[in-house]
């Protein structure tokens, strides 16, 4: 018999699909969207602002002790700080100009905090610390605001707010000093 060519059969390819890579990609996508979802959630900080009245800001209500607990810090150009305790129309401690640093605003705020905590303890409210209102003028620089916020952290003053509106009396006070 003559040599007949053998029939060449084609190799049958496996019809199975390997999904290993698809599973890896799916897990990566799930992890990615979980992380993005967690990072996109808003992080909010509780902020309490004083109530407003017609001539400017009314410092944290008229409750007992609010006049004694309120310290206002006015920031102006050339590293100038003016601070007073209570309301400007009836201050517990008269406005005075203070410098930045350990022997300036830090010492003043530390002494004020100590006095306010003693006063609050005498009233039977030992956790009522000072309320500091920081008012940077349009002429003050960002470094001064950061410095005063650092002082709040160093002295451990828990309740403070940044307010950008000045009363006419405060504007006159900054202009005069």
């Amino acid at each position: 018999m003559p040599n007949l060519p053998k029939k060449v059969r084609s190799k049958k390819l496996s019809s199975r699909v390997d999904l290993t890579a698809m599973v890896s990609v799916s897990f990566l996508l799930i992890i990615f969207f979980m992380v993005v979802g967690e990072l996109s959630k808003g992080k909010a900080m509780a902020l309490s602002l004083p109530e407003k009245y017609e001539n400017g800001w009314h410092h944290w209500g008229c409750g007992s002790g609010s006049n004694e607990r309120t310290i206002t810090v006015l920031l102006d150009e050339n590293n100038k700080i003016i601070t007073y305790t209570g309301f400007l129309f009836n201050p517990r401690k008269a406005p005075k100009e203070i410098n930045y640093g350990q022997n300036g605003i830090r010492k003043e705020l530390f002494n004020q905090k100590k006095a306010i905590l003693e006063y609050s303890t005498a009233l039977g409210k030992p956790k009522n610390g000072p309320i500091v209102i920081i008012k940077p003028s349009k002429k003050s620089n960002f470094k001064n605001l950061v410095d005063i916020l650092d002082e709040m952290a160093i002295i451990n003053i828990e309740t403070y707010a940044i307010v950008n509106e000045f009363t006419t009396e405060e504007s006159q006070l900054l202009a005069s000093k």
Side-chain angles (χ1 to χ4, degrees):
M1 267 204 181
N3 248 349
L4 292 174
K6 290 186 179 176
K7 281 190 178 177
V8 177
R9 291 194 176 215
S10 63
K11 243 183 175 178
K12 288 190 178 180
L13 297 175
S14 172
S15 60
R16 239 177 110 203
V17 177
D18 186 18
L19 294 177
T20 307
M22 184 64 84
V23 170
S24 298
V25 169
S26 299
F27 278 119
L28 286 174
L29 284 173
I30 289 170
I31 291 170
F32 172 76
F33 285 114
M34 285 174 56
V35 169
V36 167
E38 191 63 33
L39 292 177
S40 67
K41 288 181 184 173
K43 306 284 188 249
M45 184 172 93
L47 178 65
S48 299
L49 289 176
E51 298 171 12
K52 202 169 184 180
Y53 70 98
E54 37 315 317
N55 295 334
W57 289 95
H58 178 48
H59 299 262
W60 261 273
C62 347
S64 66
S66 63
N67 190 25
E68 289 80 6
R69 293 177 55 207
T70 305
I71 304 168
T72 303
V73 178
L74 306 173
L75 307 177
D76 203 15
E77 64 183 336
N78 299 326
N79 299 330
K80 183 163 86 170
I81 302 174
I82 297 176
T83 181
Y84 62 90
T85 303
F87 305 132
L88 189 55
F89 57 85
N90 182 20
R92 302 292 292 167
K93 210 168 191 187
K96 67 177 179 178
E97 192 169 336
I98 284 183
N99 296 320
Y100 284 93
Q102 187 173 1
N103 293 323
I105 189 69
R106 186 178 307 166
K107 184 176 180 182
E108 178 70 21
L109 288 174
F110 181 77
N111 292 337
Q112 292 275 0
K113 179 181 177 183
K114 185 177 174 184
I116 289 169
L117 286 173
E118 287 172 3
Y119 174 81
S120 295
T121 304
L123 287 177
K125 300 176 182 178
K127 293 185 180 180
N128 284 352
I131 301 167
V132 179
I133 299 176
I134 303 166
K135 293 186 174 187
S137 71
K138 291 180 181 175
K139 297 177 183 178
S140 70
N141 58 34
F142 186 71
K143 180 188 178 303
N144 292 347
L145 181 61
V146 170
D147 288 344
I148 202 71
L149 291 175
D150 287 342
E151 296 297 339
M152 297 295 121
I154 290 168
I155 302 165
N156 198 20
I157 292 179
E158 297 172 356
T159 308
Y160 59 89
I162 300 171
V163 179
N164 64 354
E165 292 185 27
F166 284 81
T167 63
T168 53
E169 294 86 9
E170 288 170 338
S171 298
Q172 291 169 356
L173 180 65
L174 283 177
S176 70
K177 294 219 175 205

